[in-house]
Amino acid sequence: MDVPWLLVAHGSVTALVVVSFLCGQWPIFEGTFVQRINHFLTFGAYHHFLRLVHAACGNGAKDLVLGVERYCCERPNPILQVFYVAIIGVTYFIIVQTSFQYIPGYYVSGFHRYLSIVAVAIGALLFVLTSFSDPGTVTAENVSQYISAYPYDGIIFEEKECSTCKITRPARAKHCRICDKCVARFDHHCGWMNNCVGEKNTRYFVAFLVWHFLLCLYGAVILGFILAGELKEKKVIYILTVYYGIDNSFSGLFPHVAQWLLAVHNTQILLSVFLAIIALLLGGFCAYHTHLCLTNTTTNETFKWQDYIMWKKKVNEEKAAANGGVRKSPPSKWKAFFSKSHTQSDEKVVKNNIYDKGMIRNLCEVIVPLSERQPFSRRKSE
């Protein structure tokens, strides 16, 4: 009887950690325990670990940890790439060893043995394409073409020289301090790919996210059907209700069914829960990057617009106060989060994204980057 409560507690803690990690910095959670958990996960835990290492082993050990951090976070390295390959390889190996014996089953046909191989192979191919393709490096030879392709908006992008590359930095480009190069339509540097995500490989990166979200969801669903098939073939519910007199209801059967599954198919349950959690995380990233593609925005530009809007709001508030206006007290964070109304100063702050050309054209620009089109090549030859 304690098994269901253990599962509920485990699921609740997992959900709390995931929500705190992904959403803890939202304004709605400001000052709450969710924000404190987020701070601990993203900063506090590592800070306390450094203090523990310093107290236990001295400055030498602390400098060693900081050196490992610099190698992992400030230089190109294949650590996360190897970690990804290990996760995919080990997970699929465990699934083959423990779950393929139930395929074909009551609800799962033998076709899924071969479909799973193809699905994992496509995911690996997208990983290779994203990791080893050129993200769109800006050089002295193509900088003029990129400047023509991406005009400056005069708000978050203005003409200036890259202090490292010593060339004019095109709009939407950024110098990656890890890769040490300017990348056109820079989105972010992805440690999992050991590569920047930019103009030329955003399509591979988004396809990688979408495919792995579907892959994890597919794995969790198939494992669920395997468990359901085992319940059907072993007639577990029939035995519980007829021979043991268990009430034929969800509340009556669930504790006993869960106990049987954990005793007989605990590996499949752990794998399905693991894949479902990864699918949930990837689903959020997929939705975010799909929104960026459809609005022709990058992660880097999102942060720039946030900084600009915050700065503009402060300027507007200062102007209103200087003109004798009364500064209204801000609404509660819950009301501000759910309300769609804006104050007078908020309405003056407009995000004018000149690169947004409509969803269809924006998506086409991701699928076929501007640098791979004929007009770009003609400008280069001229």
Side-chain angles (χ1 to χ4, degrees):
M1 293 296 182
D2 294 334
V3 172
W5 291 109
L6 181 62
L7 290 175
V8 171
H10 179 270
S12 301
V13 171
T14 302
L16 177 62
V17 171
V18 171
V19 171
S20 300
F21 180 75
L22 295 177
C23 313
Q25 294 183 351
W26 288 9
I28 192 175
F29 295 117
E30 184 177 355
T32 66
F33 66 94
V34 175
Q35 185 189 47
R36 289 192 288 271
I37 294 175
N38 174 272
H39 181 269
F40 176 78
L41 293 174
T42 57
F43 174 77
Y46 179 68
H47 177 69
H48 289 302
F49 174 71
L50 282 179
R51 293 179 61 182
L52 177 63
V53 169
H54 180 264
C57 306
N59 285 328
K62 181 180 178 180
D63 293 339
L64 178 62
V65 173
L66 292 175
V68 172
E69 177 196 355
R70 285 191 290 271
Y71 174 78
C72 295
C73 302
E74 299 180 10
R75 292 175 53 190
N77 65 82
I79 293 177
L80 289 180
Q81 286 178 302
V82 174
F83 190 45
Y84 160 80
V85 173
I87 291 176
I88 293 295
V90 171
T91 302
Y92 188 67
F93 176 78
I94 294 175
I95 290 175
V96 170
Q97 292 294 314
T98 62
S99 303
F100 269 33
Q101 58 183 308
Y102 303 108
I103 302 176
Y106 192 87
Y107 294 113
V108 182
S109 69
F111 171 71
H112 292 282
R113 283 174 172 260
Y114 310 103
L115 181 61
S116 64
I117 298 175
V118 175
V120 172
I122 292 175
L125 175 63
L126 291 172
F127 172 75
V128 171
L129 287 173
T130 310
S131 298
F132 300 103
S133 60
D134 178 22
T137 305
V138 181
T139 63
E141 289 74 24
N142 62 18
V143 63
S144 59
Q145 288 76 42
Y146 275 118
I147 291 176
S148 300
Y150 296 111
Y152 298 99
D153 63 357
I155 302 176
I156 62 174
F157 292 112
E158 296 181 351
E159 183 176 352
K160 59 182 179 180
E161 183 183 86
C162 175
S163 58
T164 305
C165 298
K166 303 302 180 185
I167 57 176
T168 302
R169 183 183 300 165
R172 314 193 75 184
K174 182 181 178 181
H175 186 91
C176 177
R177 61 182 179 83
I178 299 176
C179 294
D180 194 27
K181 60 185 178 184
C182 281
V183 177
R185 200 183 180 277
F186 179 87
D187 190 275
H188 70 287
H189 180 89
C190 181
W192 290 97
M193 306 297 172
N194 193 27
N195 195 10
C196 288
V197 176
E199 186 222 18
K200 290 187 176 181
N201 64 352
T202 295
R203 51 189 171 178
Y204 303 137
F205 177 74
V206 175
F208 171 87
L209 290 180
V210 173
W211 188 259
H212 279 71
F213 163 69
L214 296 176
L215 181 63
C216 292
L217 189 63
Y218 165 71
V221 170
I222 292 299
L223 288 171
F225 278 121
I226 287 176
L227 295 176
E230 284 296 292
L231 288 174
K232 191 75 174 179
E233 290 183 346
K234 299 296 191 299
K235 299 181 179 180
V236 175
I237 295 178
Y238 176 79
I239 293 172
L240 289 174
T241 54
V242 174
Y243 289 94
Y244 290 92
I246 304 299
D247 182 33
N248 191 9
S249 63
F250 178 81
S251 59
L253 288 172
F254 177 74
H256 303 280
V257 171
Q259 191 171 10
W260 183 83
L261 287 174
L262 286 173
V264 181
H265 296 287
N266 58 334
T267 304
Q268 284 74 33
I269 291 179
L270 291 175
L271 285 171
S272 60
V273 171
F274 170 74
L275 291 175
I277 292 175
I278 299 300
L280 178 65
L281 295 175
L282 288 175
F285 284 118
C286 285
Y288 173 70
H289 280 280
T290 300
H291 170 73
L292 291 182
C293 291
L294 294 178
T295 57
N296 208 338
T297 312
T298 65
T299 303
N300 178 54
E301 291 167 2
T302 300
F303 291 130
K304 284 180 174 291
W305 277 115
Q306 287 176 354
D307 294 340
Y308 170 77
I309 291 173
M310 289 179 61
W311 169 79
K312 196 67 177 178
K313 284 181 179 180
K314 290 182 180 179
V315 171
N316 291 344
E317 290 176 359
E318 292 174 358
K319 287 182 179 179
N323 293 332
V326 179
R327 182 176 297 180
K328 296 181 180 180
S329 58
S332 66
K333 55 192 174 187
W334 295 95
K335 185 176 180 180
F337 182 80
F338 291 105
S339 175
K340 293 185 179 180
S341 62
H342 300 278
T343 62
Q344 185 176 358
S345 61
D346 289 342
E347 293 177 357
K348 298 178 182 178
V349 183
V350 178
K351 178 182 175 180
N352 182 22
N353 182 14
I354 67 173
Y355 310 112
D356 187 354
K357 305 169 185 175
M359 288 192 296
I360 302 299
R361 294 182 65 185
N362 293 340
L363 194 59
C364 290
E365 186 175 316
V366 173
I367 297 174
V368 184
L370 298 182
S371 61
E372 296 182 0
R373 300 182 184 184
Q374 290 185 356
F376 190 94
S377 302
R378 283 201 298 268
R379 285 194 296 265
K380 185 174 182 179
S381 61
E382 293 172 0

